[in-house]
Amino acid sequence: MPKRIVIIGGGAGGTITANLLARNLYRQLVSGHVVINMITDKAEHVYQPGFLYVVFDKVRPDEIVRKQKEILDQNINLFVDPAVKIDKENKIVRTQSGKEFPYDFLVIATGSRIVPEDIPGLKEGGHWFYDMEGAKKLRQALKDFSGGRIAITVGVPHKCPVAPLEMTFMLYEYFKQKEMLDKVELFYTYPINRLHSLEPVANWAVPEFEKKGIKSETFFNMEEIDAEKKVVRSMEGSELNYDLLITVPPHKGAPVIADSGFGKDGWIPTNKKTLHNEGSDDVYVVGDTTNLPISKAGSTAHFESHIVAERISSEITEGFSETEYDGKVICFVETSFDEATYIWFNYKTPPTPVPPSKMIHWMKLGYNRLYWLSAKGIL
Amino acid sequence: MSVAVDNTIDARGSACPGPTMELIKAMKSSSVGTVVEVLSSDKMTTIDGAAWLKKVGQELVETSDKGGYWSIIAKKIK
């Protein structure tokens, strides 16, 4: 009987984990001693950080989408058939079409999804850039925008924590290039009492906002949106009028997680070092799906994938594994159309942003292309 | 003071999104009556968290120094 590895989710975390496992366990795969089955709900793989560039017409939508089959190792079995139930007791994953996938090791990488419908009026009144449809609609809204206040609001929780700042800085650059800064007011809001959750990033952003004339309000959590009157009301009791509302909607995990009793709102209790689902030794969790108090970001999923692939490979070939995750996250931060900075941090080391430069921006643009090598488990 | 906590979030070592954001997230997703505790390695969480609870009219139950880390406990009352 071969060892059966089932991976649910074909985003960054699931794909990198699968490809690394296929490389580590090549001999076992071709000899039939190991089987890797990936179950996903989409036939296409999207490089999600690319949405930011789609909004500003810097990248065409088709440049950030590839067929999932093409980026997976040929020894991995791909099933585009959404998982609807994870039966932890019997070690079986059931899919929408009725198939059953028994497992010896399970990797859950079902990611997160935006839920604008959780805030009354947000779906009707807001624009966002967290999916392709939203990015394209926002691109058009910006082309049509003749002037007024653009409000930027941020839901909790959300992935890619630096994206609201990047969007704000890129909006400034966009309207500067269109020579419309005298007609546009950028108004940024944030859920906690500074401009970003990372204090060094928040401290760096303050003078940047002052220099660019970007207004802000902190401790601002969306309560409801009156799309007709174009007003955002916050939980903290304030009201903000807007002409165009750009929001980072709140996120939830995949429905299969809550439906299978793994975790409320779709986040799974996860051991911060081993990345096991708490209380389990054969179920691993990767990427946004964890309940870890760290950034939900592509780089988090990437680094976690290496740990999980190494642990499962070692457990199969050596019978044990001691590889552990140290909480590493790296994020590029675009500060305009031609400069960027970056931050890295882990459980023990806080981040320190470096001064923005053209070089880091070029590295980011380079990584946007190199991502496909990461997804393949090469970079 | 001994309080029955329903949900403890260990955000020690969390740089991003950070303990205050974890408190907001937990309070938003909890039902009325739930008592939430957030553990943080940053003392400022007790000050920032308390300020947010006051602003939104939720109950700050207590903050405490645990020796090397801090705890903030809040109750969702509306």
Side-chain angles (χ1 to χ4, degrees):
Chain A
M1 174 75 91
K3 288 281 183 193
R4 299 153 304 183
I5 304 170
V6 171
I7 296 162
I8 313 177
T15 303
I16 297 171
T17 305
N19 282 327
L20 290 171
L21 281 166
R23 193 171 66 203
N24 291 352
L25 300 170
Y26 172 76
R27 285 182 188 163
Q28 290 82 351
L29 274 168
V30 296
S31 65
H33 290 92
V34 167
V35 172
I36 303 176
N37 291 322
M38 170 177 278
I39 303 167
T40 180
D41 58 350
K42 294 179 193 75
E44 292 180 323
H45 187 108
V46 181
Y47 174 60
Q48 296 178 47
F51 293 142
L52 193 64
Y53 301 88
V54 169
V55 170
F56 296 104
D57 216 10
K58 300 287 180 194
V59 162
R60 289 190 318 279
D62 62 5
E63 290 181 86
I64 59 169
V65 181
R66 292 198 185 176
K67 287 194 174 75
Q68 181 70 18
K69 187 76 188 165
E70 289 173 3
I71 53 174
L72 274 190
D73 186 285
Q74 60 180 358
N75 290 312
I76 298 165
N77 306 312
L78 174 66
F79 299 88
V80 182
D81 185 6
V84 293
K85 192 81 177 176
I86 302 164
D87 180 347
K88 203 169 152 183
E89 199 176 321
N90 295 302
K91 298 188 176 191
I92 291 172
V93 179
R94 294 192 177 84
T95 62
Q96 199 172 61
S97 72
K99 284 195 185 77
E100 292 194 339
F101 292 87
Y103 65 82
D104 296 294
F105 291 97
L106 176 65
V107 179
I108 305 178
T110 42
S112 59
R113 62 195 165 104
I114 54 169
V115 284
E117 61 273 19
D118 274 15
I119 295 176
L122 186 59
K123 205 170 175 180
E124 297 74 22
H127 281 274
W128 53 82
F129 52 100
Y130 272 64
D131 59 18
M132 187 67 88
E133 190 193 348
K136 285 184 184 175
K137 279 171 77 175
L138 178 55
R139 179 178 64 178
Q140 189 59 46
L142 289 177
K143 283 184 199 299
D144 296 341
F145 194 66
S146 57
R149 175 184 284 171
I150 298 179
I152 297 112
T153 59
V154 180
V156 177
H158 69 272
K159 65 181 152 194
C160 196
V162 295
L165 274 181
E166 290 184 296
M167 170 52 70
T168 305
F169 289 130
M170 289 170 88
L171 282 168
Y172 176 85
E173 199 66 21
Y174 177 82
F175 288 111
K176 185 180 166 189
Q177 289 189 2
K178 289 182 88 171
E179 298 183 351
M180 283 178 64
L181 283 178
D182 58 331
K183 296 189 186 75
V184 177
E185 180 189 84
L186 296 176
F187 200 109
Y188 174 93
T189 68
Y190 203 67
I192 63 170
N193 56 340
R194 54 179 181 246
L195 295 178
H196 192 263
S197 55
L198 292 169
E199 199 169 356
V201 175
N203 293 341
W204 163 80
V206 170
E208 293 294 321
F209 271 37
E210 283 171 3
K211 205 162 60 186
K212 293 176 168 65
I214 300 167
K215 293 182 178 164
S216 63
E217 181 174 334
T218 55
F219 267 155
F220 190 100
N221 287 276
M222 290 177 281
E223 175 90 18
E224 61 175 3
I225 285 81
D226 186 332
E228 209 167 295
K229 291 182 181 161
K230 295 193 169 184
V231 178
V232 188
R233 296 189 183 92
S234 77
M235 288 172 73
E236 291 80 6
S238 60
E239 290 194 349
L240 179 63
N241 296 305
Y242 65 85
D243 295 291
L244 178 66
L245 173 62
I246 301 178
T247 189
V248 175
H251 286 55
K252 277 186 177 166
V256 64
I257 304 305
D259 293 348
S260 302
F262 268 82
K264 194 173 174 292
D265 291 335
W267 317 125
I268 300 180
T270 306
N271 184 291
K272 66 191 288 188
K273 290 182 177 174
T274 67
L275 300 175
H276 279 121
N277 168 214
E278 290 286 11
S280 166
D281 58 7
D282 54 12
V283 178
Y284 285 98
V285 193
V286 167
D288 295 355
T289 318
T290 76
N291 74 335
L292 297 177
I294 57 175
S295 306
K296 294 190 184 302
S299 72
T300 310
H302 183 160
F303 296 125
E304 289 174 347
S305 298
H306 279 263
I307 304 303
V308 169
E310 202 54 44
R311 288 190 68 93
I312 293 176
S313 304
S314 196
E315 282 168 33
I316 288 175
T317 60
E318 311 303 320
F320 74 97
S321 175
E322 292 186 340
T323 307
E324 291 186 337
Y325 181 51
D326 65 357
K328 186 179 179 185
V329 180
I330 295 178
C331 295
F332 285 103
V333 187
E334 292 280 23
T335 57
S336 70
F337 284 155
D338 59 7
E339 286 194 342
T341 178
Y342 76 93
I343 44 176
W344 84 265
F345 49 96
N346 62 24
Y347 291 140
K348 291 183 178 164
T349 313
T352 311
V354 298
S357 71
K358 287 185 167 49
M359 182 65 81
I360 300 171
H361 169 69
W362 294 334
M363 284 170 67
K364 170 63 176 172
L365 293 189
Y367 185 76
N368 287 346
R369 306 287 171 178
L370 291 170
Y371 167 72
W372 302 105
L373 293 179
S374 288
K376 288 181 178 182
I378 297 168
L379 182 66
Chain B
M1 187 173 168
S2 173
V3 184
V5 173
D6 300 302
N7 181 17
T8 297
I9 296 130
D10 186 352
R12 286 175 287 178
S14 169
C16 183
T20 307
M21 200 82 98
E22 292 293 336
L23 175 68
I24 294 172
K25 183 176 90 175
M27 290 296 281
K28 277 183 160 185
S29 64
S30 297
S31 48
V32 173
T34 305
V35 177
V36 171
E37 178 181 33
V38 174
L39 307 179
S40 172
S41 38
D42 180 3
K43 189 184 178 184
M44 282 306 292
T45 306
T46 59
I47 296 161
D48 294 345
W52 181 75
L53 291 165
K54 190 176 176 189
K55 256 197 150 187
V56 294
Q58 297 291 1
E59 184 183 333
L60 171 67
V61 178
E62 68 172 27
T63 61
S64 54
D65 183 342
K66 299 284 187 184
Y69 66 96
W70 286 265
S71 156
I72 179 165
I73 299 176
K75 185 175 182 181
K76 185 154 177 171
I77 55 171
K78 62 178 185 180

Short mmCIF file of all heavy atoms in Angstrom, two decimals, chain A residues 163-203:
data_model
loop_
_atom_site.label_atom_id
_atom_site.label_comp_id
_atom_site.label_asym_id
_atom_site.label_seq_id
_atom_site.Cartn_x
_atom_site.Cartn_y
_atom_site.Cartn_z
N ALA A 163 -0.67 45.73 1.62
CA ALA A 163 -1.39 46.15 0.41
C ALA A 163 -2.14 47.48 0.56
O ALA A 163 -2.12 48.28 -0.39
CB ALA A 163 -2.34 45.05 -0.04
N PRO A 164 -2.79 47.77 1.70
CA PRO A 164 -3.49 49.06 1.79
C PRO A 164 -2.54 50.26 1.62
O PRO A 164 -2.89 51.25 0.97
CB PRO A 164 -4.09 49.05 3.20
CG PRO A 164 -4.16 47.61 3.59
CD PRO A 164 -3.03 46.94 2.90
N LEU A 165 -1.34 50.15 2.20
CA LEU A 165 -0.37 51.24 2.05
C LEU A 165 0.12 51.33 0.60
O LEU A 165 0.25 52.41 0.04
CB LEU A 165 0.83 51.01 2.97
CG LEU A 165 0.72 51.51 4.41
CD1 LEU A 165 2.02 51.22 5.15
CD2 LEU A 165 0.42 53.00 4.48
N GLU A 166 0.40 50.16 0.02
CA GLU A 166 0.88 50.15 -1.38
C GLU A 166 -0.16 50.79 -2.29
O GLU A 166 0.17 51.61 -3.15
CB GLU A 166 1.13 48.71 -1.84
CG GLU A 166 2.33 48.07 -1.19
CD GLU A 166 2.58 46.67 -1.76
OE1 GLU A 166 1.71 45.81 -1.57
OE2 GLU A 166 3.63 46.48 -2.40
N MET A 167 -1.43 50.41 -2.10
CA MET A 167 -2.50 50.97 -2.92
C MET A 167 -2.54 52.50 -2.77
O MET A 167 -2.64 53.23 -3.76
CB MET A 167 -3.84 50.35 -2.48
CG MET A 167 -5.09 50.98 -3.06
SD MET A 167 -5.13 51.14 -4.85
CE MET A 167 -5.29 49.45 -5.40
N THR A 168 -2.40 52.98 -1.54
CA THR A 168 -2.48 54.42 -1.29
C THR A 168 -1.33 55.16 -1.99
O THR A 168 -1.54 56.18 -2.66
CB THR A 168 -2.43 54.69 0.24
OG1 THR A 168 -3.48 53.92 0.85
CG2 THR A 168 -2.63 56.15 0.56
N PHE A 169 -0.12 54.64 -1.85
CA PHE A 169 1.03 55.29 -2.49
C PHE A 169 0.93 55.22 -4.01
O PHE A 169 1.30 56.18 -4.71
CB PHE A 169 2.34 54.65 -2.03
CG PHE A 169 2.68 54.96 -0.60
CD1 PHE A 169 3.02 53.96 0.29
CD2 PHE A 169 2.66 56.27 -0.13
CE1 PHE A 169 3.34 54.25 1.61
CE2 PHE A 169 2.97 56.57 1.19
CZ PHE A 169 3.31 55.56 2.07
N MET A 170 0.42 54.12 -4.53
CA MET A 170 0.31 54.00 -5.98
C MET A 170 -0.82 54.88 -6.53
O MET A 170 -0.73 55.39 -7.64
CB MET A 170 0.15 52.53 -6.37
CG MET A 170 1.46 51.75 -6.15
SD MET A 170 1.30 49.96 -6.29
CE MET A 170 1.55 49.72 -8.04
N LEU A 171 -1.87 55.07 -5.73
CA LEU A 171 -2.93 56.00 -6.13
C LEU A 171 -2.36 57.41 -6.26
O LEU A 171 -2.66 58.15 -7.21
CB LEU A 171 -4.07 56.01 -5.10
CG LEU A 171 -5.05 54.85 -5.14
CD1 LEU A 171 -5.92 54.85 -3.88
CD2 LEU A 171 -5.94 54.91 -6.39
N TYR A 172 -1.54 57.79 -5.27
CA TYR A 172 -0.92 59.12 -5.31
C TYR A 172 -0.13 59.28 -6.60
O TYR A 172 -0.25 60.29 -7.30
CB TYR A 172 -0.01 59.30 -4.09
CG TYR A 172 0.74 60.61 -4.10
CD1 TYR A 172 0.16 61.77 -3.61
CD2 TYR A 172 2.03 60.68 -4.63
CE1 TYR A 172 0.84 62.98 -3.64
CE2 TYR A 172 2.72 61.87 -4.67
CZ TYR A 172 2.12 63.01 -4.17
OH TYR A 172 2.80 64.20 -4.21
N GLU A 173 0.67 58.27 -6.93
CA GLU A 173 1.52 58.33 -8.13
C GLU A 173 0.66 58.36 -9.40
O GLU A 173 0.97 59.08 -10.36
CB GLU A 173 2.43 57.09 -8.13
CG GLU A 173 3.64 57.21 -9.01
CD GLU A 173 4.63 58.25 -8.54
OE1 GLU A 173 4.62 58.62 -7.35
OE2 GLU A 173 5.42 58.70 -9.40
N TYR A 174 -0.41 57.59 -9.38
CA TYR A 174 -1.31 57.51 -10.54
C TYR A 174 -1.90 58.89 -10.86
O TYR A 174 -1.87 59.34 -12.00
CB TYR A 174 -2.42 56.50 -10.22
CG TYR A 174 -3.49 56.32 -11.26
CD1 TYR A 174 -3.29 55.48 -12.36
CD2 TYR A 174 -4.72 56.95 -11.14
CE1 TYR A 174 -4.28 55.29 -13.31
CE2 TYR A 174 -5.72 56.77 -12.08
CZ TYR A 174 -5.50 55.93 -13.17
OH TYR A 174 -6.49 55.75 -14.10
N PHE A 175 -2.41 59.54 -9.81
CA PHE A 175 -3.04 60.84 -10.05
C PHE A 175 -2.00 61.95 -10.28
O PHE A 175 -2.29 62.93 -10.95
CB PHE A 175 -4.01 61.19 -8.91
CG PHE A 175 -5.24 60.35 -8.95
CD1 PHE A 175 -5.48 59.39 -7.98
CD2 PHE A 175 -6.15 60.48 -9.99
CE1 PHE A 175 -6.61 58.59 -8.03
CE2 PHE A 175 -7.29 59.68 -10.06
CZ PHE A 175 -7.52 58.73 -9.08
N LYS A 176 -0.82 61.74 -9.75
CA LYS A 176 0.27 62.69 -10.02
C LYS A 176 0.61 62.65 -11.51
O LYS A 176 0.74 63.69 -12.16
CB LYS A 176 1.49 62.31 -9.18
CG LYS A 176 2.64 63.28 -9.28
CD LYS A 176 3.79 62.78 -8.41
CE LYS A 176 5.07 63.52 -8.73
NZ LYS A 176 6.22 62.90 -8.05
N GLN A 177 0.71 61.44 -12.03
CA GLN A 177 1.05 61.31 -13.46
C GLN A 177 -0.07 61.83 -14.35
O GLN A 177 0.17 62.29 -15.46
CB GLN A 177 1.37 59.84 -13.79
CG GLN A 177 2.69 59.40 -13.20
CD GLN A 177 3.16 58.03 -13.68
OE1 GLN A 177 2.51 57.39 -14.50
NE2 GLN A 177 4.28 57.58 -13.14
N LYS A 178 -1.31 61.73 -13.85
CA LYS A 178 -2.43 62.25 -14.62
C LYS A 178 -2.65 63.75 -14.38
O LYS A 178 -3.60 64.33 -14.90
CB LYS A 178 -3.73 61.50 -14.25
CG LYS A 178 -3.77 60.07 -14.76
CD LYS A 178 -5.07 59.37 -14.42
CE LYS A 178 -6.11 59.60 -15.50
NZ LYS A 178 -7.32 58.77 -15.32
N GLU A 179 -1.76 64.34 -13.57
CA GLU A 179 -1.83 65.77 -13.20
C GLU A 179 -3.20 66.11 -12.61
O GLU A 179 -3.84 67.10 -12.98
CB GLU A 179 -1.50 66.64 -14.42
CG GLU A 179 -0.08 66.40 -14.92
CD GLU A 179 0.31 67.29 -16.08
OE1 GLU A 179 -0.57 67.99 -16.62
OE2 GLU A 179 1.50 67.30 -16.41
N MET A 180 -3.65 65.25 -11.69
CA MET A 180 -4.97 65.44 -11.07
C MET A 180 -4.89 65.59 -9.55
O MET A 180 -5.93 65.56 -8.88
CB MET A 180 -5.88 64.24 -11.40
CG MET A 180 -6.44 64.25 -12.81
SD MET A 180 -7.43 62.76 -13.10
CE MET A 180 -8.79 62.97 -11.93
N LEU A 181 -3.68 65.74 -9.01
CA LEU A 181 -3.57 65.78 -7.54
C LEU A 181 -4.37 66.92 -6.92
O LEU A 181 -4.83 66.81 -5.79
CB LEU A 181 -2.10 65.87 -7.13
CG LEU A 181 -1.29 64.56 -7.21
CD1 LEU A 181 0.15 64.81 -6.82
CD2 LEU A 181 -1.90 63.46 -6.35
N ASP A 182 -4.55 68.01 -7.67
CA ASP A 182 -5.33 69.13 -7.13
C ASP A 182 -6.82 68.82 -7.09
O ASP A 182 -7.59 69.52 -6.43
CB ASP A 182 -5.06 70.39 -7.97
CG ASP A 182 -5.40 70.17 -9.45
OD1 ASP A 182 -5.29 69.03 -9.92
OD2 ASP A 182 -5.79 71.15 -10.11
N LYS A 183 -7.24 67.75 -7.77
CA LYS A 183 -8.67 67.40 -7.80
C LYS A 183 -8.99 66.20 -6.91
O LYS A 183 -10.15 65.83 -6.74
CB LYS A 183 -9.09 67.05 -9.24
CG LYS A 183 -8.99 68.18 -10.23
CD LYS A 183 -9.66 67.75 -11.54
CE LYS A 183 -9.49 68.76 -12.64
NZ LYS A 183 -8.12 68.75 -13.22
N VAL A 184 -7.95 65.55 -6.37
CA VAL A 184 -8.15 64.29 -5.66
C VAL A 184 -7.68 64.38 -4.21
O VAL A 184 -6.58 64.88 -3.94
CB VAL A 184 -7.39 63.13 -6.36
CG1 VAL A 184 -7.54 61.83 -5.58
CG2 VAL A 184 -7.88 62.95 -7.79
N GLU A 185 -8.53 63.93 -3.29
CA GLU A 185 -8.12 63.84 -1.89
C GLU A 185 -8.06 62.35 -1.52
O GLU A 185 -9.04 61.63 -1.67
CB GLU A 185 -9.13 64.54 -0.99
CG GLU A 185 -8.74 64.47 0.48
CD GLU A 185 -9.85 64.96 1.41
OE1 GLU A 185 -10.75 64.17 1.73
OE2 GLU A 185 -9.82 66.14 1.78
N LEU A 186 -6.89 61.92 -1.05
CA LEU A 186 -6.74 60.54 -0.60
C LEU A 186 -6.95 60.50 0.90
O LEU A 186 -6.28 61.24 1.64
CB LEU A 186 -5.35 59.99 -0.97
CG LEU A 186 -5.04 59.89 -2.46
CD1 LEU A 186 -3.60 59.41 -2.67
CD2 LEU A 186 -6.01 58.94 -3.16
N PHE A 187 -7.87 59.65 1.36
CA PHE A 187 -8.17 59.56 2.79
C PHE A 187 -8.04 58.10 3.21
O PHE A 187 -8.84 57.25 2.85
CB PHE A 187 -9.59 60.08 3.09
CG PHE A 187 -9.79 60.46 4.52
CD1 PHE A 187 -9.92 61.80 4.89
CD2 PHE A 187 -9.81 59.50 5.53
CE1 PHE A 187 -10.09 62.16 6.22
CE2 PHE A 187 -9.97 59.84 6.86
CZ PHE A 187 -10.11 61.18 7.21
N TYR A 188 -7.00 57.84 3.99
CA TYR A 188 -6.64 56.47 4.39
C TYR A 188 -7.14 56.20 5.80
O TYR A 188 -7.00 57.06 6.69
CB TYR A 188 -5.12 56.37 4.32
CG TYR A 188 -4.48 55.10 4.83
CD1 TYR A 188 -4.19 54.06 3.96
CD2 TYR A 188 -4.11 54.96 6.17
CE1 TYR A 188 -3.55 52.90 4.40
CE2 TYR A 188 -3.48 53.82 6.63
CZ TYR A 188 -3.20 52.79 5.74
OH TYR A 188 -2.57 51.66 6.19
N THR A 189 -7.71 55.04 5.99
CA THR A 189 -8.12 54.67 7.36
C THR A 189 -7.49 53.32 7.72
O THR A 189 -7.12 52.55 6.85
CB THR A 189 -9.65 54.54 7.49
OG1 THR A 189 -10.09 53.39 6.73
CG2 THR A 189 -10.35 55.78 6.98
N TYR A 190 -7.39 53.08 9.03
CA TYR A 190 -6.75 51.83 9.47
C TYR A 190 -7.38 51.34 10.78
O TYR A 190 -7.73 52.16 11.63
CB TYR A 190 -5.24 52.04 9.63
CG TYR A 190 -4.46 50.74 9.52
CD1 TYR A 190 -4.41 50.05 8.32
CD2 TYR A 190 -3.83 50.19 10.63
CE1 TYR A 190 -3.73 48.85 8.21
CE2 TYR A 190 -3.14 48.98 10.53
CZ TYR A 190 -3.10 48.32 9.32
OH TYR A 190 -2.43 47.12 9.21
N PRO A 191 -7.50 50.02 10.95
CA PRO A 191 -8.24 49.50 12.13
C PRO A 191 -7.61 49.80 13.48
O PRO A 191 -8.33 49.96 14.47
CB PRO A 191 -8.25 47.98 11.89
CG PRO A 191 -8.06 47.82 10.42
CD PRO A 191 -7.17 48.95 10.01
N ILE A 192 -6.27 49.82 13.59
CA ILE A 192 -5.66 50.10 14.89
C ILE A 192 -5.15 51.55 14.92
O ILE A 192 -5.31 52.27 13.94
CB ILE A 192 -4.55 49.09 15.25
CG1 ILE A 192 -3.39 49.18 14.25
CG2 ILE A 192 -5.10 47.68 15.30
CD1 ILE A 192 -2.16 48.38 14.69
N ASN A 193 -4.55 51.95 16.03
CA ASN A 193 -4.27 53.37 16.22
C ASN A 193 -2.92 53.83 15.64
O ASN A 193 -2.20 54.61 16.27
CB ASN A 193 -4.35 53.73 17.71
CG ASN A 193 -3.42 52.87 18.55
OD1 ASN A 193 -3.00 51.80 18.11
ND2 ASN A 193 -3.09 53.34 19.74
N ARG A 194 -2.55 53.30 14.51
CA ARG A 194 -1.43 53.84 13.74
C ARG A 194 -1.64 53.44 12.29
O ARG A 194 -2.60 52.73 11.97
CB ARG A 194 -0.10 53.34 14.30
CG ARG A 194 0.03 51.85 14.42
CD ARG A 194 1.42 51.48 14.97
NE ARG A 194 1.56 50.05 15.06
CZ ARG A 194 1.69 49.37 16.21
NH1 ARG A 194 1.68 50.01 17.36
NH2 ARG A 194 1.83 48.08 16.21
N LEU A 195 -0.75 53.88 11.39
CA LEU A 195 -1.00 53.71 9.96
C LEU A 195 -0.80 52.29 9.46
O LEU A 195 -1.23 51.94 8.38
CB LEU A 195 -0.12 54.67 9.15
CG LEU A 195 -0.41 56.16 9.36
CD1 LEU A 195 0.55 57.01 8.54
CD2 LEU A 195 -1.85 56.49 8.98
N HIS A 196 -0.09 51.48 10.24
CA HIS A 196 0.10 50.08 9.86
C HIS A 196 0.32 49.26 11.11
O HIS A 196 0.76 49.78 12.13
CB HIS A 196 1.31 49.94 8.91
CG HIS A 196 1.38 48.59 8.28
ND1 HIS A 196 2.18 47.59 8.78
CD2 HIS A 196 0.72 48.06 7.24
CE1 HIS A 196 2.02 46.50 8.04
NE2 HIS A 196 1.14 46.76 7.10
N SER A 197 0.03 47.95 11.01
CA SER A 197 0.18 47.11 12.19
C SER A 197 1.64 47.02 12.63
O SER A 197 1.91 46.91 13.83
CB SER A 197 -0.40 45.73 11.93
OG SER A 197 0.18 45.16 10.78
N LEU A 198 2.57 47.04 11.69
CA LEU A 198 3.99 47.02 12.06
C LEU A 198 4.43 48.43 12.43
O LEU A 198 4.37 49.34 11.60
CB LEU A 198 4.84 46.51 10.89
CG LEU A 198 4.64 45.04 10.51
CD1 LEU A 198 5.32 44.74 9.20
CD2 LEU A 198 5.16 44.13 11.61
N GLU A 199 4.85 48.61 13.67
CA GLU A 199 5.16 49.95 14.15
C GLU A 199 6.25 50.65 13.31
O GLU A 199 6.11 51.82 12.96
CB GLU A 199 5.56 49.91 15.63
CG GLU A 199 5.44 51.28 16.25
CD GLU A 199 5.57 51.24 17.77
OE1 GLU A 199 5.67 50.13 18.33
OE2 GLU A 199 5.57 52.32 18.37
N PRO A 200 7.35 49.94 12.95
CA PRO A 200 8.37 50.63 12.13
C PRO A 200 7.82 51.07 10.78
O PRO A 200 8.20 52.13 10.26
CB PRO A 200 9.46 49.56 11.95
CG PRO A 200 9.24 48.58 13.04
CD PRO A 200 7.78 48.57 13.32
N VAL A 201 6.92 50.26 10.20
CA VAL A 201 6.32 50.63 8.92
C VAL A 201 5.39 51.84 9.11
O VAL A 201 5.39 52.78 8.31
CB VAL A 201 5.55 49.44 8.31
CG1 VAL A 201 4.81 49.85 7.04
CG2 VAL A 201 6.50 48.29 8.01
N ALA A 202 4.63 51.81 10.21
CA ALA A 202 3.72 52.93 10.51
C ALA A 202 4.52 54.22 10.72
O ALA A 202 4.15 55.27 10.19
CB ALA A 202 2.90 52.61 11.76
N ASN A 203 5.62 54.11 11.45
CA ASN A 203 6.45 55.30 11.70
C ASN A 203 7.06 55.85 10.41
O ASN A 203 7.18 57.06 10.24
CB ASN A 203 7.56 54.97 12.70
CG ASN A 203 7.01 54.67 14.08
OD1 ASN A 203 5.87 55.04 14.39
ND2 ASN A 203 7.79 53.99 14.90
#
